[in-house]
Amino acid sequence: MPGLILLKNGRVIDPVNGIDQIQDVLIVDGKISAVVQPGTLPEQVGLVYDLAGKWVVPGLIDMHVHLREPGQEYKETIATGTRAAAAGGFTAVASMPNTKPINDNQTVTVFILAKAAEAGFARVYPVGAISSGSNGEQLAEFGELRQAGAVAVTDDGLPVGNSQLMRRALEYAGNHDLLVISHAEEMTLSHGGAMNDGALATRLGLRGIPHVAEEIMVYRDLALAEFTGRPIHIAHVSTRESLSLLRRAKEKGVAVTAETAPHYFTLTEKAVDGYNTLAKMNPPLRTEADVAAIREALRDGTLDAIATDHAPHGELDKDMEFDLAANGIIGLETAVPLTLRLVRENQLDARRMVELLSVNPARILGVPGGTLSVGAPADITVIDPEKKFVFTEESIQSKSKNSPFLGWELQGKAVLTILAGRITWGQDTFSS
Amino acid sequence: MTSEYRFTHKHVLGLADFSVEDIQAVLQTAESFKEISSRSIKKVPTLRGKTIINFFFEPSTRTRLSFEVAAKRMSADTFNISNSGSSTVKGETLIDTARNLAAMNPDCIILRHPRSGSARLLAEHIDASVINAGDGTHEHPSQGLLDLMTVREAKGGIAGLKIAIIGDIAHSRVAHSNIIGFSKMGAFVTVSGPATLIPPGIEELGARVSRSVMEAVDGADVIMALRIQKERQQDPLFPSLREYAKFFGVSQNVADAASPEAVIMHPGPINRGVELDPKLADGSRSVILEQVTNGVAVRMALLYLIMGGD
């Protein structure tokens, strides 16, 4: 029977419904039809997967990716980027507006959605620009962006340097129910820096980006969120003191959420040594103390989400002098194994992992998903937490291969990704 | 140095890669080569048939000429490329340009480049030896070695000496190579200057930091003044050259706080009256021109050690 899939014997982790036990999940016509004790469903005609030893979780949502299309299709297209998302276990991604042209108007938003629908690998939630051209001067047309399908606004890649503009963005976003996402960076302090400020930068002769460059802007944006009474989301948090500021704001009841990326809880600035441009990113990789603080904040709820900041770049952008190389790494296909490292080290439990990668991103963006409730669209990720593999260029589905994790032996990956009842990844590799 | 020691480096990218024995080998070789430059026929056949390309992306008089003189005195064939004359101004990348040069089979490329790590990048992409003649704010190893040679000549040794380096430590590749080199050889290095020009973690390279220039030079055997790069003035690092000279310039008063036998050094080119009093630059304690003379000998030694062994 078409449109019918039975996922048998998997460990269903569905925090919203308080489920963490072995269950069978039945999918009918793209929707979740039943989540029940194994063996209680009558034999079905259709696809049947025995998922003993696997995790069945709500489809993962990456709230921070760069899909590069339109404009930089040599790095990534919406099709290749969403294919990488499916391969990494994601059923939805939020795409940042720094395309060429910038997604600061409804036409670009409509284009992105059309391309995403054509590719069919994942839901794409376009994020519009805060300022027209992301040049920090005039507000972009939030109303039309929202009508066309944008879910949030940011000038990501660049901070909003002008505090008055950020205040107005927060205020005006309220008219259109758009989330404002902050790329927190005080540019006069980061000032052309190429890596974390400190002894290693001094030894390598590279200009440093001090952690206060992030923290000053985190503080400003938290203050503006409190002042305007509007929610704000802080992107790619990388420093210990940013987390202290977030913790304090949350205690005061400021409507703030925040994300970090797997590289910030996995790597330190040492990855840059030898002028490794695959470890060059903004914000830069920080220190052991920052990594420890980020892990703690993922546990205690100071951080709400793990987002990859998937930033594809080609050799043209990376194979050069360190100062000149582009910032960013791909992340969609390593997020699950890198987060599972924290689970294996007992720094996170599986439920918290699902909250960080699915439940909370859906809630923060105000989009469907994040649950396995009966009747919900069947966006489901199946994770094999034990599967070991070496991360190689050949395995990467993204068009770009810029990852500092190349050659790493990783454990745990998405083996089956289901989008609205359709298998987007794992059909071949995972036998039913 | 043990009898089994051999200098095995193919490239000279920074003194951070050199062992104490490597540095001693370069200095000994340089000392033996120095005499060649005082002969009436200043040429030996050691590197005959070797091709050396001077690839300079930044203006340089002293270093570029020094390498060229060194190579020619060893009978190597030398070629010079500067940024304005190279295809990088037409948009070619450093790696592509280097690969094209490498296709002409040079034995050694000497690179001066404004980006830190560029010499290493070159070495990773071509077969020829690479000598770093200054990469960004990272290292300038041949300058560090010639400074070590000059101090060893003047003082009879390096271990135990007190070296004061004054000025722009943050942007000076010369300071970085000197801190690494002198501390490896057992000297005590103190740096001082405006706090805005002292980079974080410089202690990890081997330097002590002093807030006061007078304290830094107290009892010093060597005072090295560094060039203030006027083009960095757009970043608010210090108020004015006038104030800099008054509080951080190496004056007679500063020199008097050092050991009476202290030598005065400067990697050049000097902003006279800013970081260094002209009377000191030209005075009896100055070894600034010795540095230049020794630069040729050190570069002859480096070229010989990386290419002459086969």
Side-chain angles (χ1 to χ4, degrees):
Chain A
M1 187 174 146
L4 206 144
I5 303 174
L6 178 61
L7 307 176
K8 283 188 356 181
N9 301 324
R11 174 182 170 191
V12 172
I13 305 167
D14 181 9
V16 171
N17 291 305
I19 299 172
D20 182 356
Q21 62 194 95
I22 309 296
Q23 298 270 275
D24 285 356
V25 178
L26 180 67
I27 301 164
V28 179
D29 291 334
K31 291 192 162 37
I32 294 168
S33 164
V35 180
V36 294
Q37 288 299 321
T40 55
L41 286 170
E43 276 303 309
Q44 304 281 345
V45 183
L47 282 173
V48 181
Y49 289 91
D50 185 349
L51 301 178
K54 314 284 192 293
W55 297 357
V56 178
V57 307
L60 307 184
I61 301 170
D62 187 344
M63 61 182 300
H64 195 134
V65 305
H66 298 268
L67 294 178
R68 303 299 187 209
E69 187 180 3
Q72 293 184 302
E73 292 83 357
Y74 76 95
K75 298 182 183 191
E76 193 82 285
T77 64
I78 290 167
T80 60
T82 51
R83 185 181 66 200
F90 292 94
T91 55
V93 298
S95 65
M96 292 295 126
N98 62 340
T99 48
K100 291 181 179 176
I102 300 270
N103 184 16
D104 62 358
N105 64 81
Q106 58 179 344
T107 309
V108 178
T109 301
V110 167
F111 170 86
I112 291 168
L113 286 170
K115 286 283 179 181
E118 192 183 303
F121 285 112
R123 300 178 199 276
V124 173
Y125 298 115
V127 178
I130 285 176
S131 63
S132 182
S134 283
N135 62 13
E137 290 169 11
Q138 291 293 326
L139 288 175
E141 289 162 343
F142 288 4
E144 285 192 347
L145 283 165
R146 180 61 172 172
Q147 275 183 344
V151 298
V153 287
T154 183
D155 278 349
D156 184 64
L158 294 168
V160 175
N162 180 327
S163 301
Q164 177 75 327
L165 180 69
M166 193 60 162
R167 170 196 172 183
R168 297 304 185 205
L170 284 160
E171 290 170 344
Y172 186 57
N175 286 92
H176 301 291
D177 198 22
L178 284 165
L179 176 69
V180 175
I181 300 175
S182 161
H183 167 116
E185 177 183 357
E186 221 298 309
M187 295 281 274
T188 62
L189 282 167
S190 54
H191 192 58
M195 66 170 292
N196 187 43
D197 195 40
L200 184 60
T202 295
R203 178 157 70 74
L204 292 172
L206 294 172
R207 192 187 271 272
I209 301 173
H211 54 86
V212 290
E214 175 175 312
E215 292 144 6
I216 284 172
M217 215 52 138
V218 168
Y219 180 79
R220 184 203 71 174
D221 287 347
L222 293 174
L224 287 173
E226 183 177 15
F227 175 71
T228 59
R230 293 293 311 157
I232 196 158
H233 177 77
I234 310 291
H236 43 57
V237 173
S238 75
T239 84
R240 183 171 53 170
E241 185 58 23
S242 292
L243 297 166
S244 307
L245 294 167
L246 282 164
R247 209 165 269 136
R248 204 183 60 140
K250 286 188 166 191
E251 280 164 13
K252 286 170 73 180
V254 179
V256 58
T257 53
E259 79 197 25
T260 192
H263 36 275
Y264 298 120
F265 60 71
T266 307
L267 299 174
T268 68
E269 61 177 357
K270 292 195 185 81
V272 169
D273 205 356
Y275 304 96
N276 179 14
T277 60
L278 291 179
K280 184 181 178 189
M281 55 197 69
N282 186 25
L285 295 171
R286 304 286 186 182
T287 66
E288 299 280 359
D290 297 297
V291 168
I294 285 169
R295 290 173 170 206
E296 186 191 343
L298 286 168
R299 266 196 307 280
D300 73 14
T302 305
L303 287 169
D304 301 277
I306 293 171
T308 68
D309 199 359
H310 179 79
H313 290 294
E315 277 177 35
L316 286 175
D317 314 293
K318 283 291 195 181
D319 205 3
M320 62 183 68
E321 299 90 316
F322 193 90
D323 279 340
L324 303 178
N327 283 311
I329 66 168
I330 56 170
L332 284 164
E333 295 168 74
T334 44
V336 165
L338 293 174
T339 307
L340 278 167
R341 280 161 61 100
L342 299 186
V343 176
R344 275 200 308 284
E345 292 168 18
N346 291 319
Q347 309 230 14
L348 297 179
D349 60 24
R351 175 199 164 97
R352 182 68 187 150
M353 172 170 165
V354 175
E355 287 173 352
L356 291 163
L357 282 165
S358 179
V359 179
N360 293 348
R363 176 175 56 80
I364 295 164
L365 293 173
V367 299
T371 81
L372 296 175
S373 301
V374 170
D379 290 5
I380 299 174
T381 303
V382 177
I383 294 168
D384 180 344
E386 304 302 327
K387 189 182 177 78
K388 287 187 178 168
F389 67 104
V390 176
F391 187 60
T392 61
E393 277 198 28
E394 297 68 46
S395 71
I396 293 175
Q397 298 301 309
S398 170
K399 202 164 189 175
S400 291
K401 316 296 175 193
N402 54 308
S403 170
F405 303 110
L406 285 171
W408 281 40
E409 193 186 330
L410 298 172
Q411 188 175 359
K413 71 186 302 190
V415 289
L416 193 64
T417 308
I418 301 171
L419 175 65
R422 203 162 40 75
I423 292 169
T424 52
W425 185 256
Q427 186 112 55
D428 306 328
T429 53
F430 194 88
S431 56
S432 65
Chain B
M1 205 179 308
T2 63
S3 56
E4 300 92 64
Y5 171 80
R6 277 193 67 218
F7 184 93
T8 54
H9 294 278
K10 179 179 175 185
H11 308 292
V12 181
L13 305 180
L15 290 189
D17 306 328
F18 273 30
S19 67
V20 170
E21 289 183 324
D22 292 330
I23 292 171
Q24 283 171 341
V26 176
L27 299 186
Q28 279 176 16
T29 309
E31 280 156 12
S32 70
F33 282 174
K34 189 175 178 182
E35 169 269 333
I36 295 167
S37 294
S38 55
R39 296 178 191 171
S40 60
I41 310 260
K42 303 176 184 60
K43 202 171 182 100
V44 293
T46 317
L47 295 181
R48 195 166 55 198
K50 299 289 185 189
T51 304
I52 296 170
I53 298 176
N54 267 322
F55 192 14
F56 276 56
F57 281 79
E58 283 183 335
S60 164
T61 307
R62 195 179 334 256
T63 304
R64 190 180 61 72
L65 187 61
S66 180
F67 270 110
E68 189 171 1
V69 167
K72 289 200 156 124
R73 286 190 181 156
M74 308 285 280
S75 300
D77 297 314
T78 64
F79 303 87
N80 292 304
I81 308 170
S82 63
N83 189 27
S84 57
S86 83
S87 50
T88 55
V89 297
K90 300 174 188 168
E92 190 170 54
T93 67
L94 173 63
I95 293 170
D96 276 342
T97 307
R99 283 181 176 146
N100 278 277
L101 296 182
M104 299 179 208
N105 299 313
D107 298 282
C108 179
I109 293 180
I110 295 158
L111 181 72
R112 157 74 58 97
H113 195 278
R115 303 292 174 180
S116 298
S118 51
R120 181 184 170 123
L121 185 71
L122 203 66
E124 285 168 354
H125 282 86
I126 63 170
D127 286 333
S129 287
V130 174
I131 297 180
N132 178 8
D135 63 328
T137 54
H138 175 226
E139 279 223 49
H140 190 352
S142 63
Q143 178 75 40
L145 289 163
L146 74 87
D147 288 338
L148 285 165
M149 178 177 177
T150 304
V151 168
R152 186 153 104 157
E153 236 175 33
K155 296 287 170 188
I158 295 169
L161 294 180
K162 292 168 83 172
I163 316 287
I165 304 180
I166 310 299
D168 183 354
I169 312 299
H171 303 103
S172 174
R173 53 201 175 206
V174 174
H176 291 183
S177 289
N178 270 309
I179 292 167
I180 294 166
F182 277 103
S183 56
K184 266 190 186 170
M185 300 307 285
F188 301 101
V189 181
T190 303
V191 299
S192 189
T196 50
L197 295 175
I198 307 293
I202 193 70
E203 296 88 348
E204 291 187 20
L205 292 187
R208 199 176 69 86
V209 177
S210 176
R211 291 274 160 195
S212 143
V213 172
M214 292 304 279
E215 184 191 293
V217 300
D218 184 29
D221 302 292
V222 174
I223 300 175
M224 185 181 300
L226 296 175
R227 175 180 172 75
I228 281 297
Q229 288 161 302
K230 293 174 187 169
E231 62 273 20
R232 298 201 185 276
Q233 283 283 57
Q234 76 276 14
D235 194 359
L237 294 166
F238 55 87
S240 64
L241 290 174
R242 190 178 144 275
E243 172 142 322
Y244 182 91
K246 184 169 176 181
F247 291 94
F248 304 101
V250 175
S251 60
Q252 189 62 54
N253 198 27
V254 169
D256 287 345
S259 151
E261 289 84 37
V263 293
I264 307 288
M265 303 177 76
H266 190 295
I270 305 172
N271 297 305
R272 285 176 171 261
V274 180
E275 68 264 5
L276 186 58
D277 184 324
K279 287 196 182 69
L280 291 171
D282 301 333
S284 60
R285 292 156 73 179
S286 167
V287 292
I288 292 170
L289 295 177
E290 269 305 301
Q291 289 174 269
V292 179
T293 303
N294 288 337
V296 174
V298 155
R299 288 166 181 133
M300 288 168 76
L302 288 173
L303 292 170
Y304 170 75
L305 288 168
I306 62 173
M307 283 186 294
D310 48 43

